């Protein structure tokens, strides 16, 4: 059975200590860290809080709730040398936190061969760096932009086999127009982490849809959930985007709604 986690986008003003305590109270299995203290500059926040990676490692050694990922802003398409150096700042902190994954975005506006080749070039750069330094964490690529369809994901697999995928189920459903159960059948062997959220087909402040409490919308989670329970052992993470959508209810309310409706 999959593990349940949260993205800290749902509690953006929390410190890491508050996030871990909240996750423990909610009986969650892991935390995915995107923002802390209302900042996405995680290396700076962690350095201010803990001083050194070794101090963070000591703090996490006996934590009942692990950190599954540190989420970066690097995109595989259109990144610069400065972007890559910024991304590399996350490495010692991910290792200290015991995080298995570093989230990166796909980027790209169109799913054409040139875009996939550019993604593959960035992945090759990363693999060479990781091998040379013997780093433990690896990247997982979120289905956010050009990788919002099964066909595009298969095209990336052809030029960069073995790439780990963070499947944002809402993106391939709402943006890619695919049925989540069908998408899962097609990409499951590459998926290591999953984002879930719910919405209704009504224009919102920033999107042509509106996010709603889990179980109160139209995302077909009831059909997908038993498949994931039987076939996936990674984290299914509630990405409650309160950092970007402050009009959303508190994260605790979203978790309560998900539990009451048996949504996940």
């Amino acid at each position: 059975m999959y593990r349940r986690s949260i993205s800290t986008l749902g509690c953006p003003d929390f410190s890491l200590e508050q996030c871990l305590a909240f996750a423990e109270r909610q009986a969650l299995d892991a935390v995915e860290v995107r923002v802390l203290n209302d900042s996405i500059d995680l290396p700076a926040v962690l350095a201010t809080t803990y001083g050194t990676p070794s101090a963070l490692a000591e703090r996490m050694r006996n934590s009942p709730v692990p950190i599954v990922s540190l989420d970066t802003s690097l995109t595989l398409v259109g990144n610069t040398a400065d972007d890559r150096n910024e991304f590399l700042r996350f490495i010692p902190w991910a290792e200290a936190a015991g995080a298995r994954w570093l989230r990166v975005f796909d980027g790209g506006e169109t799913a054409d061969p040139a875009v996939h080749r550019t993604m593959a070039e960035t992945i090759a750069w990363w693999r060479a760096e990781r091998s040379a330094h013997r780093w433990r964490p690896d990247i997982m690529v979120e289905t956010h932009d050009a990788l919002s369809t099964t066909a595009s994901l298969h095209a990336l697999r052809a030029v960069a086999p073995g790439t780990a995928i963070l499947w944002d189920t809402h993106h391939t459903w709402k943006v890619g127009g695919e049925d989540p159960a069908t998408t899962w059948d097609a990409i499951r062997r590459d998926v290591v982490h999953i984002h879930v959220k719910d919405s209704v087909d009504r224009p919102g402040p920033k999107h042509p849809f509106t996010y709603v409490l889990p179980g109160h919308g139209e995302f077909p989670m009831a059909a997908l959930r038993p498949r994931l329970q039987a076939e996936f052992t990674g984290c299914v993470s509630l990405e409650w985007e309160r950092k970007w959508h402050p009009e959303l209810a508190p994260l605790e309310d979203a978790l309560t709604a998900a539990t009451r409706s048996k949504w996940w």
Side-chain angles (χ1 to χ4, degrees), residues 133-173:
H133 295 279
R134 298 184 179 181
W135 289 324
R136 291 187 298 275
D138 202 353
I139 61 169
M140 58 179 181
V141 184
E142 182 170 349
T143 57
H144 191 272
D145 299 306
L147 295 181
S148 290
T149 66
T150 294
S152 186
L153 284 160
H154 283 173
L156 177 65
R157 179 195 292 163
V159 294
T163 300
I165 297 300
L166 189 172
W167 178 32
D168 189 307
T169 58
H170 192 272
H171 281 159
T172 56
W173 172 64

Side-chain angles (χ1 to χ4, degrees), residues 242-262:
R242 204 163 186 233
K243 168 66 175 173
W244 314 129
H245 300 272
E247 73 279 2
L248 292 177
L251 177 58
E252 187 169 6
D253 292 356
L255 288 168
T256 298
T259 299
R260 286 178 176 171
S261 63
K262 298 181 180 179

Side-chain angles (χ1 to χ4, degrees), residues 8-157:
T8 60
L9 283 175
C11 47
D13 57 328
F14 279 14
S15 68
L16 180 59
E17 298 297 333
Q18 289 174 306
C19 291
L20 295 172
F22 176 82
E24 185 176 6
R25 290 195 304 273
Q26 295 288 328
L28 296 167
D29 300 304
V31 169
E32 174 189 349
V33 182
R34 170 56 167 156
V35 56
L36 294 171
N37 297 353
D38 211 30
S39 172
I40 62 172
D41 188 352
L42 299 180
V45 174
L46 294 171
T48 298
T49 305
Y50 299 100
T52 63
S54 60
L56 174 61
E58 182 62 30
R59 163 63 183 87
M60 292 303 300
R61 186 161 288 121
N62 297 312
S63 175
V65 179
I67 295 173
V68 65
S69 172
L70 295 189
D71 290 357
T72 80
S73 298
L74 182 71
T75 59
L76 297 183
V77 176
N79 61 78
T80 65
D82 286 344
D83 295 330
R84 292 183 180 188
N85 288 333
E86 177 66 21
F87 165 78
L88 293 176
R89 293 174 58 228
F90 283 73
I91 306 299
W93 297 103
E95 292 209 308
R100 175 69 181 88
W101 301 108
L102 291 154
R103 190 282 306 276
V104 301
F105 289 117
D106 46 5
E109 296 181 0
T110 58
D112 60 51
V115 166
H116 294 116
R117 285 195 299 270
T118 300
M119 291 183 187
E121 289 167 3
T122 302
I123 292 168
W125 163 79
W126 159 249
R127 288 175 174 171
E129 289 289 318
R130 181 174 183 245
S131 177
H133 295 279
R134 298 184 179 181
W135 289 324
R136 291 187 298 275
D138 202 353
I139 61 169
M140 58 179 181
V141 184
E142 182 170 349
T143 57
H144 191 272
D145 299 306
L147 295 181
S148 290
T149 66
T150 294
S152 186
L153 284 160
H154 283 173
L156 177 65
R157 179 195 292 163

